[in-house]
Amino acid sequence: MRVSRLMLVTLRDDPAEAEIPSHKLLLRAGYIRRVASGVYAYLPLLWRVLRKVSEIVRQEMDRTGALETLLPQLQPAELWERSGRWAGYTAGEGIMFHLQDRQGRELGLGPTHEEVITALAADLLRSYRQLPVSLYQIQSKFRDEIRPRFGLMRSREFIMKDAYSFHADEPSLKEGYAAMDGAYRRIFERCGLRAVAVEADSGAIGGSASQEFMVTADAGEDLILSSPDGRYAANQERAVSLAPQAVALPAGASASLATPGQTSIDQLVSGHGFDPTQILKVLLLLARFAQAPAQPVLVSLRGDQQLNEVKLANAIRARVPAEFGALLELAPLTAEQVAKQGLPPLPFGYMGPHLEDAAFAAAKDWQPRLLRLADSTAGELERFVCGANELDTHLVGASWGELVARPEQVDLRAAQDGDGCCHDPAQQLVSSRGIEVGHIFQLGRKYSEALGANFTTEGGQQEPLWMGCYGIGVSRLAQAAVEQHHDANGICWPVSIAPFEVVVVPANAAEPEQSALAEQIYDELLQAGVDGLLDDRTERAGVKFKDADLIGIPWRVVVGRGAAEGLVELVERATGAKTDLAASQLLQTLLPQLERQRQGL
């Protein structure tokens, strides 16, 4: 390929819309262009990258025995209603683009394909003799993001590899899960990425176990917490830890304390000298469901801890009847909402764990009783400071049992950097940022039971299939590679996924000897199987060098004044190392290094 035919348009300055380095560089280097909010055109350079990433993914999926297929992007609502996810994905989180056809039938553009693949399995997989089997596809997916940002990191249309496995029993599922785990590690290694596997929450997809693969990068949206010995790593949504010990309150009877205008932990600490661990933080939230009145939820946390909303949502789902349907929203309850229900005002900022159910008995559209939960750090407090359920007043020295029955204790706190490790309290968790590029799940029988995907066992019984699902964000992976591999001059692509492996740059294309030698080297590279690019433009040498650095081609061959003597300069983009050598020695010098780098070594 010649640069003059590449439709290459680079930008000198960072676009205003871009916030993180990878987004800026992909725009400046001519890899993507924004078409609408969260919607991008993949220009020829990026398409070459995506094809190489996809090929590595295909090779590793095929290596596991998975079969490639292609499923419809347009999916009927009926399948999602059977699984119970339609309301959650449309009216709840609202991330699914959905529409009605001419006959009024509802359809959605798939953000994922569990329902479709399970319906197909119900039709095609009838016997244990057909199991296990895995299917995968690489195609565009859609999410109606509230706030698209960071380019391909959080876009509304993206390319994804999703695989689904079907098994006769749980041990077989675990074997398939382990095989995919190994395949994912090889994929990221071959793509030149430093990725870590962490425990993760299964979210709306569900399942008994899941693991995310994170590319470590300062611009990552996810917080990773890990132990120094490498034995534990988890996304903060899932992470568990040992909280610091609480400072005991001085002995004494429970008493009221006037606290006018002091509604926060910090105000109580500064105003009265309490330690945050001595304070009980009480939160009132409202959980809204698809098929039931909203449920008020009263949560007790220790004052120095933060609520993990994912853990809370999971705890709520596990404690309400299945007939409530999907959890659509979980948000702090407001005074305006209380007033609309025709209820008397609540003492916001001064609520205690003894808030009575009677306060909600007359609600128009809510459950009449509170769901009460306490984080274990709060439940373990013997005596504490808490709201008195009246304005401008707190209680000091309150205790469970005397004030109110101790609520059910659940892990609801967000683990933090510096917390103790559960497997070794002498170690402290360390935080880092990560970009999620892959996620694997053990789904169990959630979807097969909902959609009637049964098979005949060896004993002649009908049982639901065991399932796993496995996703990789192909377009996100490409941008994550840029986030991890760049410098002040531009992108530094790993060879295995670079749009081109080598760029040949004649310093002065108008000089016949330079032009002829550049053409000769370019032809030899192509004949040797090297993915080469020739910068045949009549631009100044400095412009060409800057573009080569910005675009991030791993190797550059400069044909300059030494062309008359058959000499060239070989430059490695990642290290900046330069070597002067005879053009006749170029291939035997370059090819061994390229071969190692193609394998991610």
Side-chain angles (χ1 to χ4, degrees):
M1 176 60 69
R2 297 170 184 270
V3 174
S4 62
R5 309 304 303 160
L6 193 55
M7 201 175 73
L8 178 65
V9 178
T10 59
L11 305 176
R12 179 178 300 176
D13 300 318
D14 292 334
E17 69 183 86
E19 300 178 54
I20 61 176
S22 57
H23 188 194
K24 295 174 182 177
L25 290 171
L26 287 176
L27 285 167
R28 284 186 56 209
Y31 283 87
I32 60 174
R33 280 295 183 272
R34 180 179 179 274
V35 175
S37 177
V39 181
Y40 287 85
Y42 308 134
L43 300 181
L45 277 174
L46 185 64
W47 188 243
R48 293 180 69 91
V49 173
L50 295 175
R51 285 171 57 189
K52 290 186 177 182
V53 173
S54 297
E55 183 55 30
I56 291 172
V57 170
R58 282 192 173 92
Q59 290 172 5
E60 294 298 340
M61 287 296 100
D62 293 348
R63 182 174 169 181
T64 69
L67 306 170
E68 186 168 9
T69 187
L70 188 62
L71 302 173
Q73 295 172 327
L74 205 56
Q75 304 182 30
E78 183 268 336
L79 291 178
W80 286 70
E81 289 168 345
R82 288 172 61 190
S83 72
R85 294 206 299 173
W86 179 257
Y89 270 73
T90 55
E93 291 184 67
I95 63 171
M96 180 187 278
F97 287 101
H98 54 287
L99 64 146
Q100 286 189 347
D101 67 11
R102 294 173 186 272
Q103 284 74 42
R105 293 172 295 207
E106 290 191 290
L107 302 129
L109 284 174
T112 184
H113 277 75
E114 284 80 12
E115 283 78 4
V116 170
I117 199 72
T118 306
L120 291 172
D123 182 43
L124 299 172
L125 300 178
R126 304 293 180 85
S127 168
Y128 72 94
R129 296 186 179 88
Q130 297 172 276
L131 304 174
V133 65
S134 298
L135 299 159
Y136 77 94
Q137 62 172 346
I138 299 175
Q139 68 152 255
S140 292
K141 299 293 181 73
F142 304 88
R143 286 174 62 97
D144 189 6
E145 294 283 359
I146 296 174
R147 188 190 172 199
R149 59 192 307 216
F150 300 155
L152 307 183
M153 294 291 191
R154 187 178 288 277
S155 58
R156 287 176 165 164
E157 180 179 350
F158 52 95
I159 298 175
M160 182 175 173
K161 186 284 302 178
D162 49 323
Y164 306 89
S165 63
F166 299 90
H167 308 265
D169 52 39
E170 190 172 16
S172 175
L173 167 59
K174 290 182 176 180
E175 288 179 10
Y177 184 85
M180 286 294 181
D181 176 278
Y184 273 44
R185 293 173 191 268
R186 292 191 298 272
I187 287 168
F188 301 130
E189 182 179 359
R190 290 181 60 186
C191 288
L193 297 175
R194 300 184 301 277
V196 296
V198 303
E199 293 181 13
D201 182 74
S202 296
I205 289 178
S208 60
S210 76
Q211 185 172 248
E212 287 176 341
F213 293 85
M214 297 283 192
V215 169
T216 54
D218 291 339
E221 290 189 280
D222 292 288
L223 185 69
I224 304 168
L225 294 167
S226 57
S227 60
D229 63 4
R231 293 175 56 192
Y232 180 77
N235 186 311
Q236 190 182 36
E237 292 179 347
R238 176 67 182 269
V240 295
S241 65
L242 301 176
Q245 290 294 316
V247 176
L249 268 178
S254 177
S256 295
L257 176 68
T259 54
Q262 297 172 358
T263 58
S264 71
I265 301 296
D266 288 342
Q267 288 171 329
L268 289 173
V269 169
S270 61
H272 304 278
F274 297 124
D275 188 89
T277 63
Q278 298 171 330
I279 302 172
L280 193 73
K281 179 164 49 179
V282 178
L283 307 176
L284 183 60
L285 302 98
L286 191 67
R288 190 164 63 88
F289 295 91
Q291 300 172 15
Q295 173 67 64
V297 183
L298 195 70
V299 176
S300 296
L301 289 171
R302 204 172 73 185
D304 63 324
Q305 301 300 311
Q306 299 300 317
L307 177 66
N308 183 320
E309 292 188 7
V310 172
K311 291 181 179 179
L312 176 59
N314 290 337
I316 293 171
R317 289 189 188 99
R319 286 162 178 79
V320 299
E323 293 74 24
F324 279 26
L327 176 59
L328 302 180
E329 183 182 33
L330 179 61
L333 198 151
T334 66
E336 290 76 14
Q337 289 173 309
V338 172
K340 287 181 179 179
Q341 291 295 311
L343 300 176
L346 294 176
F348 286 99
Y350 298 92
M351 275 187 287
H354 55 306
L355 187 67
E356 296 183 359
D357 289 334
F360 299 89
K364 299 175 184 176
D365 304 308
W366 297 347
Q367 302 289 341
R369 296 174 61 86
L370 287 165
L371 173 61
R372 300 172 186 269
L373 298 171
D375 180 69
S376 57
T377 57
E380 291 166 359
L381 291 174
E382 295 299 326
R383 301 174 68 251
F384 48 82
V385 178
C386 69
N389 285 333
E390 60 180 89
L391 295 178
D392 298 329
T393 307
H394 280 78
L395 299 177
V396 180
S399 61
W400 299 113
E402 178 182 329
L403 180 68
V404 66
R406 195 186 309 264
E408 180 182 1
Q409 295 182 54
V410 189
D411 177 21
L412 299 176
R413 56 181 285 272
Q416 299 290 337
D417 184 290
D419 285 352
C421 298
C422 293
H423 72 281
D424 181 1
Q427 296 190 61
Q428 294 183 329
L429 291 177
V430 178
S431 64
S432 59
R433 307 301 303 186
I435 300 166
E436 181 191 348
V437 291
H439 203 155
I440 60 178
F441 304 80
Q442 293 182 37
L443 296 177
R445 293 172 160 181
K446 172 181 176 177
Y447 294 94
S448 55
E449 288 177 345
L451 281 88
N454 301 316
F455 73 103
T456 303
T457 68
E458 189 172 6
Q461 304 297 315
Q462 286 285 303
E463 291 187 5
L465 291 158
W466 290 81
M467 289 179 59
C469 76
Y470 320 90
I472 285 180
V474 173
S475 49
R476 174 180 276 207
L477 186 154
Q479 184 168 334
V482 177
E483 196 63 44
Q484 202 171 68
H485 297 281
H486 71 272
D487 60 20
N489 296 319
I491 302 169
C492 304
W493 287 110
V495 165
S496 57
I497 60 173
F500 298 94
E501 296 172 321
V502 181
V503 57
V504 181
V505 183
N508 183 358
E511 209 286 318
E513 288 182 327
Q514 291 186 27
S515 179
L517 183 56
E519 291 279 358
Q520 174 190 325
I521 292 172
Y522 173 63
D523 289 340
E524 290 174 352
L525 289 170
L526 296 183
Q527 292 172 16
V530 176
D531 200 354
L533 177 66
L534 175 63
D535 194 341
D536 58 342
R537 296 176 296 172
T538 57
E539 296 281 359
R540 290 179 291 107
V543 172
K544 295 181 181 181
F545 295 159
K546 283 189 175 182
D547 279 349
D549 283 345
L550 178 61
I551 294 167
I553 309 304
W555 293 92
R556 181 168 80 231
V557 179
V558 181
V559 182
R561 294 175 181 174
E565 292 78 36
L567 298 177
V568 297
E569 180 184 62
L570 179 62
V571 183
E572 186 176 17
R573 174 69 183 88
T575 65
K578 299 179 180 180
T579 305
D580 293 323
L581 71 166
S584 59
Q585 300 297 309
L586 177 65
L587 288 182
Q588 66 185 62
T589 301
L590 180 59
L591 291 180
Q593 297 187 70
L594 274 178
E595 190 54 40
R596 289 194 299 271
Q597 292 172 339
R598 286 167 178 164
Q599 299 304 316
L601 302 177

